[in-house]
Amino acid sequence: MNRIIVLFAIIFSQIIFAQTAKEIIDRNIESSGGLTQWKLLNTVQIQGRVTLGVNDSYLMKIYQQRPNLTKTAILLAGKETPVEGFDGKNGYAMNYAQNKLTQYNDYVPENFDNDFIDYESKGFEAELLGKEKIGEQVYFKVELTKNVNKTIYYFDVKNYSLYREIKKDETLTYSDYRKVGNLLMPYRIESSSPKKDSDYVMMINKIEINKELPKNTFKF
């Protein structure tokens, strides 16, 4: 009998945690604009400046279009120079050793939407790992798992905004949220990695959404 009681207690606690994790994710989506508005998002154009290391700083532009088209370019002498992207079939990334853009047939593009939007239908499981204090702020710590891939998200306990995303080889920190149409988006993104060789800070000054992009935008 005791074993049965313990078993039910474990199952019940897991259900509570799953519901709580889902509630946190749902509140983040709702507070940042709502699921309907995120699904109505089809194109994004971002302008800003990216700083690599200490001294390397570039003006940059990012183009994204549903379902997974993307291009990142830096501006050199006023001209856009693509450094990474996906045209729907192949991926491209700058080969700095050869100083040229290289095509990669096995390139895996990122989803247009964040993983936690419709995460259940994508095959993810969500688990609340509790709360954690970073600096002077407290955050909900939620883990999304799919097969062997795990990503940890930190959400503000007060307004449910996404603060940090920890992947296997990269940590992304989001701040300076501003209204873009009906959505809230971060205007500062910091990336760090264990090797520190690809760390960057992105300071965004303009975001445009749902504007029709020229057909050759994702031609490399």
Side-chain angles (χ1 to χ4, degrees), residues 109-161:
E110 293 189 1
N111 290 323
F112 184 82
D113 293 318
N114 290 320
D115 284 341
F116 50 82
I117 292 181
D118 288 337
Y119 72 90
E120 292 170 305
S121 64
K122 295 174 182 174
F124 288 93
E125 293 183 0
E127 181 182 3
L128 175 63
L129 302 181
K131 296 180 181 179
E132 185 171 322
K133 189 174 184 181
I134 302 176
E136 298 299 318
Q137 301 295 324
V138 178
Y139 300 91
F140 290 113
K141 187 176 180 181
V142 175
E143 182 179 70
L144 283 190
T145 303
K146 183 176 181 180
N147 301 322
V148 297
N149 298 314
K150 297 178 183 292
T151 303
I152 294 177
Y153 297 92
Y154 289 85
F155 298 96
D156 191 296
V157 296
K158 295 180 181 179
N159 59 26
Y160 297 93
S161 63

Side-chain angles (χ1 to χ4, degrees), residues 5-6 18 22 25 76 97 137 145-146 160 181 184 204:
I5 293 174
V6 171
K22 184 179 187 306
I25 292 172
L76 299 174
Q137 301 295 324
T145 303
K146 183 176 181 180
Y160 297 93
L184 275 178
I204 298 168

Side-chain angles (χ1 to χ4, degrees), residues 17 30 77 82 174 197:
F17 275 117
E30 186 60 34
Y174 305 94
D197 57 349

Side-chain angles (χ1 to χ4, degrees), residues 11-104:
I11 294 174
F12 183 67
S13 67
Q14 289 177 340
I15 292 173
I16 292 176
F17 275 117
Q19 289 175 334
T20 304
K22 184 179 187 306
E23 180 181 281
I24 293 168
I25 292 172
D26 287 346
R27 290 195 177 188
N28 165 266
I29 294 171
E30 186 60 34
S31 64
S32 62
L35 185 60
T36 298
Q37 292 299 321
W38 281 109
K39 288 189 174 183
L40 288 174
L41 184 64
N42 288 304
T43 67
V44 180
Q45 299 179 66
I46 298 173
Q47 297 181 40
R49 179 175 292 275
V50 60
T51 300
L52 309 172
V54 178
N55 299 318
D56 292 334
S57 181
Y58 302 94
L59 293 174
M60 60 87 190
K61 288 187 177 181
I62 299 174
Y63 302 91
Q64 297 174 329
Q65 181 172 303
R66 194 178 292 277
N68 53 17
L69 301 178
T70 180
K71 181 173 77 174
T72 299
I74 59 175
L75 275 65
L76 299 174
K79 182 181 178 181
E80 289 187 21
T81 300
V83 293
E84 189 172 5
F86 183 73
D87 64 6
K89 294 182 179 180
N90 300 305
Y92 300 83
M94 180 62 71
N95 185 326
Y96 291 98
Q98 300 178 10
N99 196 31
K100 69 176 184 179
L101 198 67
T102 302
Q103 177 178 312
Y104 295 92

Side-chain angles (χ1 to χ4, degrees), residues 192-218:
S192 61
S193 60
K195 294 182 179 180
K196 299 295 181 183
D197 57 349
S198 59
D199 291 4
Y200 66 82
V201 176
M202 186 186 301
M203 301 290 292
I204 298 168
N205 56 46
K206 186 178 182 180
I207 300 178
E208 297 177 284
I209 61 175
N210 287 336
K211 288 196 171 184
E212 186 174 352
L213 299 175
K215 293 182 179 180
N216 64 351
T217 298
F218 302 101

